[in-house]
Amino acid sequence: MVKIDVNLKRAVLDMMMGGDKLSYCFQCGICNDVCPVSQRWGSRYNPRDLVLFSALGFKEALVSAVVKDPFILWGCTTCETCDEKCPAEIPITDIISLLKNVSVSLGVAPEFYPSSTRAVMESGMAIPVQPAVEKRRVGLGIGPAPLIPAEEIRKLMLATGVDKLVKKQEETA
Amino acid sequence: MAEYKLFPGCFIQNRIPFLEASAKFVFEQVGVSQSAGNFGCCPNPVGLRFVDEKTWAVLGARNLVEAESEGKNIMSLCNGCYQSMAVVNHELKHDPMLKAEVNKVLAEVGKNYAGSISVEHFVRVLHEEVGIEKIKSKITHPLTGLKVALHPGCHYARPSHILKGEDPFNMYFLRDLVEASGATVVDYDQEDLCCGNGVRNADPYTANTMLKAKIDDARIHGADCFAVNCPACFQQMDAEQRNLKSMAAEGVKYNFPTYYVTELLAMAMGKTAKEIGINFHRNKGKDELMKVGL
Ligand code: SF4
Ligand code: SF4
C-alpha cells in the first residue's frame, strides 16, 4: 500500500490554490512536452509525475525513487518554461523546489547544495571574496568589493536552523 | 533618475568583476547613478532556495531591508539575484504569514521588512528609464557587422506573473540594446532554451548538451557571438565550452565568444577590449572583434 503524507499533500494543494485562483493539474502533459530536460531524457525526467505524486502526498515513494536516481528530481534546470506554459497555472517549479527541500531534509541531495549553503554561512556569500579577484577589481578601476555582513548572515542562518540541515547532509555524505 | 543600490551578486563581484567594470562605465556614460549596499548573498534561486525556502526568504528579505533603510530601489546585474529578490519581495507582500515568520527571524539582528522598495534588472533600467535614444547618442564606435545571437536567460522574465518587465516569449529590450551598439541581431531557434547553468551542479552532462544545442544553432544562423545579461549564463556559455570537446563533431571547435551586453555597449562607446577586461574571457573572440575594428 502507498503511504500518504498529509503534510506534503496539503502543502502542494495549497500552492495550487494559492491567492485568488483555484486550479488543479489535469495531467495534460504540456509541462513534459516543453521541458528541455524531458526532451533530452524522456521518461527519466517527468515533471508531470512530480506534480501528480506530490499532490497525492506520495512522499515515501517519491523519496525512494530519488534515492535510486537523484536525476528524477534534481535534473530540473529551473528554466521555468513549464510554469509559463501550464494551462492550469500550476507553480510547477515551486513544487519542485519544495520537493528538493524535502529531499535535502532527508539527506538526499547532490553535494553542491549543502556545500554552497555552508559557504554562505561562512562568508555571507556563495562565492567569497578572493585576494586575486580583489587585485583584478582594482586593476579594472572598480576598487575592492564592499564589506560583506557575514556575521549577521550567519546569525540569521543559525536562527532558521539551516545549519542543522547542512550538518545532517554532510554526515550522510 | 533616482540613485539605485547596485547589486552585482557574488559571481560578478568575486569572480568575474570585468562585467561590473563595463556596466559601471556604461551607467556613468548614460547617467544611471548607483552606489554599493551592505548586501550579502541574494541568495541563489538555484542553490540555497533548494536547501531551505525559509532561509532563502530571510536572506533575500535582509537585502531588501538594507535598501529600504536608504529608501532606494535595488538594481541587479544578475538574472538570478534579480529573480530571487523580486520573488521574495512579492511573496512577502502577498503572504502575511510568511512576512511575520521572516520578520521574527530578522528581529534577531534588529531588522524589519516593510515592503517599501522594488527590485529592478539593469536591462529594464537601461531600456525603459534611460532610453535607447540616449544610449545611441553615446555611441562613437558602432559595432557594424558584428552578428549577435541573443540570450536574455530564464530568470530575467520568468515567472512572468511576478517579474513584470517583459513578456518572456516576446522579449525585445536586449535586442534594442544590442542594436543600439550598431551590431546586427540574428534570430535563432534556440533563443529561449536555458543555457544549462541551473542543472550543472546536479548533472553537468545535461548542462553541456543544452549549451551545445545553443551554440550549434546560433552558428547555423550565422552568429559571431552571444549577448547575455546574466553572469551565470555568461559563465556557463563562455567558460563551460571547454567541456564540449568530447561531444564535438569531427573538426568542430567550441570557442564561440559570449559578451555581456554592457561589454558590447562599452566598446561601442569607445572603450578598448583590454580596458574592460575582455582578455579575462575564456573565449575572447579576437577574430570576431577584429572584424568590426576592435
Ligand atoms: S502542464 Fe500543468 S496541468 Fe498539464 S500536466 Fe503539467 S502541471 Fe499538470
Ligand atoms: S523548470 Fe524544470 S521541469 Fe520545468 S521545464 Fe524547466 S527543466 Fe523542465
Side-chain angles (χ1 to χ4, degrees):
Chain A
M1 221 186 68
V2 189
K3 253 206 205 145
I4 290 179
D5 184 293
V6 283
N7 290 325
L8 177 67
K9 191 179 162 90
R10 188 171 300 136
V12 172
L13 291 180
D14 258 4
M15 288 163 111
M16 290 185 177
M17 295 169 199
D20 52 1
K21 71 182 175 64
L22 196 161
S23 57
Y24 57 92
C25 164
F26 42 84
Q27 291 286 295
C28 66
I30 287 178
C31 48
N32 285 0
D33 292 346
V34 300
C35 171
V37 179
S38 216
Q39 285 164 6
R40 282 167 171 71
W41 289 103
S43 59
R44 188 182 174 205
Y45 184 75
N46 190 324
R48 175 176 63 182
D49 281 0
L50 292 175
V51 172
L52 176 64
F53 294 137
S54 55
L56 290 171
F58 290 0
K59 179 168 154 184
E60 220 180 76
L62 272 169
V63 170
S64 62
V66 176
V67 170
K68 250 193 241 145
D69 181 10
F71 191 83
I72 68 149
L73 174 62
W74 292 92
C76 171
T77 188
T78 325
C79 65
E80 309 196 16
T81 311
C82 53
D83 305 60
E84 297 293 334
K85 303 283 186 184
C86 168
E89 296 180 22
I90 304 294
I92 304 167
T93 44
D94 290 349
I95 293 172
I96 291 173
S97 183
L98 174 78
L99 291 176
K100 285 177 174 173
N101 280 195
V102 169
S103 167
V104 168
S105 73
L106 296 168
V108 190
E111 198 261 327
F112 165 82
Y113 300 92
S115 75
S116 80
T117 305
R118 181 159 294 286
V120 180
M121 220 142 57
E122 279 164 5
S123 63
M125 276 196 170
I127 296 167
V129 173
Q130 294 153 51
V133 179
E134 287 292 89
K135 248 200 225 149
R136 196 171 278 186
R137 292 183 58 93
V138 173
L140 287 160
I142 51 174
L147 279 182
I148 301 168
E151 200 35 52
E152 191 175 312
I153 288 167
R154 223 180 103 76
K155 255 192 210 156
L156 292 172
M157 294 177 86
L158 292 177
T160 64
V162 74
D163 57 314
K164 293 187 199 85
L165 272 180
V166 171
K167 228 196 217 139
K168 183 165 175 196
Q169 265 284 326
E170 287 166 347
E171 277 159 13
T172 22
Chain B
M1 191 193 302
E3 183 182 282
Y4 280 105
K5 298 310 287 181
L6 184 69
F7 200 100
C10 66
F11 210 79
I12 288 189
Q13 184 172 297
N14 300 329
R15 189 156 299 161
I16 51 173
F18 42 96
L19 302 193
E20 184 178 329
S22 71
K24 282 182 166 167
F25 171 75
V26 171
F27 294 155
E28 211 179 278
Q29 292 294 300
V30 301
V32 175
S33 64
Q34 47 78 25
S35 58
N38 190 30
F39 295 130
C41 192
C42 59
N44 190 349
V46 293
L48 193 93
R49 181 174 189 180
F50 297 156
V51 173
D52 185 43
E53 291 251 0
K54 183 172 166 191
T55 307
W56 171 75
V58 165
L59 297 191
R62 192 207 155 278
N63 288 326
L64 297 167
V65 172
E66 286 290 349
E68 284 179 354
S69 73
E70 292 186 49
K72 289 172 185 156
N73 293 331
I74 291 175
M75 176 172 65
S76 172
L77 296 185
C78 168
N79 287 3
C81 303
Y82 164 63
Q83 195 215 35
S84 259
M85 290 185 292
V87 170
V88 168
N89 207 16
H90 176 93
E91 284 185 1
L92 291 174
K93 279 181 189 171
H94 292 86
D95 184 343
M97 253 151 73
L98 179 69
K99 184 176 161 185
E101 228 184 297
V102 164
N103 269 336
K104 205 172 142 208
V105 180
L106 286 176
E108 302 247 342
V109 298
K111 284 189 156 63
N112 183 65
Y113 167 87
S116 57
I117 61 128
S118 73
V119 182
E120 307 290 343
H121 193 286
F122 78 95
V123 161
R124 198 200 67 79
V125 172
L126 286 177
H127 193 279
E128 296 294 274
E129 290 180 34
V130 173
I132 293 299
E133 286 317 308
K134 172 121 184 232
I135 292 169
K136 272 190 186 157
S137 74
K138 302 288 175 188
I139 304 293
T140 53
H141 296 65
L143 311 180
T144 315
L146 187 68
K147 292 193 187 147
V148 183
L150 306 176
H151 177 73
C154 306
H155 299 160
Y156 166 73
R158 306 174 207 156
S160 60
H161 69 283
I162 296 175
L163 307 180
K164 295 286 188 197
E166 285 194 79
D167 170 356
F169 298 104
N170 186 24
M171 295 185 275
Y172 61 92
F173 291 180
L174 179 62
R175 170 179 299 266
D176 288 351
L177 291 173
V178 168
E179 283 175 350
S181 78
T184 306
V185 170
V186 297
D187 291 323
Y188 68 119
D189 303 327
Q190 301 287 351
E191 183 173 319
D192 291 336
L193 177 63
C194 166
C195 66
N197 172 72
V199 68
R200 173 156 298 283
N201 292 309
D203 191 71
Y205 174 79
T206 303
N208 292 338
T209 64
M210 295 165 86
L211 176 57
K212 181 173 179 295
K214 287 194 79 88
I215 297 172
D216 290 348
D217 189 46
R219 277 178 166 159
I220 287 171
H221 289 83
D224 298 317
C225 62
F226 285 124
V228 298
N229 46 247
C230 170
C233 302
F234 173 85
Q235 188 70 358
Q236 159 78 357
M237 294 167 82
D238 181 41
E240 303 296 350
Q241 272 185 64
R242 61 180 179 223
N243 300 312
L244 301 185
K245 238 190 206 154
S246 61
M247 298 180 174
E250 183 126 348
V252 176
K253 267 207 185 131
Y254 285 94
N255 54 1
F256 194 71
T258 303
Y259 303 107
Y260 194 63
V261 60
T262 54
E263 291 182 322
L264 292 176
L265 288 170
M267 288 190 282
M269 291 175 182
K271 282 278 184 192
T272 63
K274 182 142 195 289
E275 280 172 317
I276 52 164
I278 302 286
N279 49 310
F280 296 123
H281 290 212
R282 285 207 189 235
N283 300 291
K284 302 165 184 54
K286 270 202 186 114
D287 298 342
E288 289 78 1
L289 293 180
M290 211 124 77
K291 201 176 97 175
V292 294
L294 289 167

